[in-house]
Amino acid sequence: MTAITDIPDAPRAARRPQLGNPVLRWLRTNLFSSMPNGILTVVLLAMLGKAAVSFVQWGIANAVWFAPANDSAACRAMRGVGACWAIIPEKYRFILFGTYPFDEQWRPALAVVLFIALYYLSTRRVLWRRELAYLWIGALALISVLMWGGVFGLSFVSQDRWGGLPVTLILATFGLAFGFPLGILVALGRRSKLPAIRSLCVFYVELIRGVPLVSLLFMASVMFPLFMPAGFNIDKLLRAQIAIILFAGAYLAEVIRGGLQAVPRGQYEAADALGLSYWRKHRLIVLPQAIRHVIPPLVNTFIAFFKDTSLVLIIGIFDLLTTAKTAIIDPAWQQFSVEVYIFVAAIYFAFCFAMSRYSRSLEATRR
């Protein structure tokens, strides 16, 4: 008995709190665990510190923040020593809204606010009910009215005048909203026992994934109208939207198929034992588990497609990046393109970082 009581309680010892400053302990464990790691950490910190100091001097201390209307003399006088942020107040309306009529730009601005509000409300799990779908339908209808006009006393604005951030959000939102259910159907079709459906889905996925998005946009813009009857024409924004939906559907199908393969076979057998139909089995049991398994690659695909909307430049659609490039054609501001690209990069980063953070929180709550 004495020998048994003298044995230390291993679990209790493991739960014993460690002494010392937790910050120092974390630094010692992760950054200075060995001599090579410590040297590498010091070198990287020195490089980051030097870059940070240089950016602060260029972007804040020596920067020009405001300038008279369309006068870049103060910025040119700096000769690259400081940033010319004055170009942003001068060109931001064109960057964000393109050639949309100047006096009507409150309409695309309100459309962007509605999009952001829809994204935020969709992240609230307490609102994941049927009413949220009705809210999306109503908000998208209101966005269409705002962008097109022609009713309620709003002047009509053709899609050729649309540009900037609203176009990027429209292409990304509709592309993923329709591409995601298409990807689910194709993923299920690739696992179908019917050879015709399985072969058709395999052909679609391999064809779309085998060519770049640029080629699909060219096909939608140039080749697609040749197959339409004479006098029948579809707007190029809609053609680009269809190409993006097909492209997104093929890539999302493979991600979802990986999630379906990760679901244990016993889940399928249990659903069959309950007498559930094919669609109820997948809707209630299989798909929720499959999507939970592939949340990280799904969000990675969403972020990639949000950024790939900039490729519509090649068919003459003015998305956010295209309007930014066009804004610096002005000879007075042409040499200050870096500031414009930093401004646009900050917008892209805000949306992509929000998606990434939400996916991490969603993954953590579903473990």
Side-chain angles (χ1 to χ4, degrees):
M1 290 294 296
T2 305
I4 295 177
T5 55
D6 290 339
I7 298 177
D9 190 350
R12 185 178 302 174
R15 292 193 301 266
R16 187 178 301 157
Q18 298 180 357
L19 301 179
N21 192 311
V23 176
L24 295 178
R25 187 167 59 250
W26 183 89
L27 291 174
R28 188 181 303 110
T29 303
N30 295 276
L31 301 181
F32 299 96
S33 58
S34 62
M35 182 63 70
N37 286 344
I39 295 174
L40 184 60
T41 298
V42 172
V43 172
L44 290 177
L45 288 177
M47 294 174 61
L48 290 175
K50 186 178 184 303
V53 170
S54 300
F55 181 80
V56 169
Q57 291 177 346
W58 174 81
I60 299 178
N62 300 324
V64 177
W65 297 93
F66 300 100
N70 204 30
D71 184 7
S72 59
C75 292
R76 292 196 301 271
M78 296 300 296
R79 300 183 181 276
V81 176
C84 180
W85 300 117
I87 191 176
I88 304 303
E90 182 67 28
K91 300 292 185 181
Y92 80 96
R93 297 188 69 165
F94 184 84
I95 295 173
L96 293 179
F97 309 120
T99 59
Y100 205 91
F102 188 83
D103 295 335
E104 301 289 332
Q105 287 184 356
W106 64 269
R107 291 158 53 180
L110 182 56
V112 170
V113 172
L114 288 175
F115 269 123
I116 296 175
L118 286 174
Y119 300 153
Y120 175 77
L121 293 176
S122 299
T123 62
R124 305 295 94 186
R125 297 186 64 183
V126 295
L127 299 178
W128 288 2
R129 300 191 299 269
R130 184 177 302 175
E131 291 77 6
L132 182 61
Y134 297 149
L135 179 62
W136 267 90
I137 295 173
L140 292 178
L142 178 58
I143 290 172
S144 301
V145 171
L146 288 171
M147 295 298 296
W148 265 300
V151 294
F152 304 119
L154 300 175
S155 60
F156 176 77
V157 180
S158 65
Q159 287 177 301
D160 295 335
R161 303 291 303 274
W162 298 7
L165 185 57
V167 170
T168 296
L169 295 181
I170 288 172
L171 291 173
T173 301
F174 284 96
L176 295 174
F178 288 95
F180 186 69
L182 175 61
I184 292 177
L185 293 177
V186 173
L188 294 176
R190 290 203 63 172
R191 295 170 56 86
S192 174
K193 297 179 180 179
L194 301 177
I197 295 178
R198 184 172 62 251
S199 300
L200 181 62
C201 292
V202 170
F203 175 77
Y204 162 72
V205 170
E206 298 302 330
L207 175 65
I208 299 298
R209 295 178 71 227
V211 296
L213 178 57
V214 174
S215 63
L216 291 180
L217 293 173
F218 267 122
M219 289 288 292
S221 178
V222 179
M223 300 298 295
F224 182 75
L226 300 179
F227 296 95
M228 294 293 101
F232 183 80
N233 186 30
I234 300 179
D235 186 84
K236 62 181 178 181
L237 181 62
L238 179 58
R239 298 199 297 267
Q241 185 71 83
I242 294 174
I244 291 175
I245 290 173
L246 294 176
F247 197 71
Y251 277 83
L252 291 173
E254 289 299 278
V255 175
I256 296 171
R257 187 167 69 93
L260 292 173
Q261 293 178 340
V263 177
R265 186 63 186 172
Q267 298 294 312
Y268 293 88
E269 296 173 351
D272 292 334
L274 292 174
L276 297 179
S277 64
Y278 176 85
W279 294 109
R280 285 177 60 86
K281 174 177 66 176
H282 283 84
R283 181 171 62 88
L284 299 177
I285 297 178
V286 178
L287 280 176
Q289 298 182 64
I291 293 175
R292 182 180 60 188
H293 287 311
V294 294
I295 287 177
L298 274 179
V299 176
N300 184 58
T301 306
F302 291 167
I303 292 174
F305 281 116
F306 179 77
K307 294 183 292 186
D308 284 345
T309 55
S310 60
L311 294 176
V312 297
L313 160 67
I314 64 172
I315 58 175
I317 296 178
F318 279 56
D319 71 306
L320 178 61
L321 186 59
T322 308
T323 54
K325 293 179 180 178
T326 309
I328 56 178
I329 292 179
D330 188 349
W333 301 96
Q334 195 169 16
Q335 59 181 316
F336 308 110
S337 59
V338 174
E339 291 82 348
V340 173
Y341 288 132
I342 291 176
F343 174 68
V344 174
I347 296 176
Y348 276 104
F349 176 80
F351 283 96
C352 295
F353 183 73
M355 284 189 281
S356 177
R357 294 294 298 176
Y358 175 67
S359 70
R360 292 183 62 182
S361 63
L362 184 63
E363 185 180 8
T365 57
R366 288 180 172 267
R367 285 177 180 174

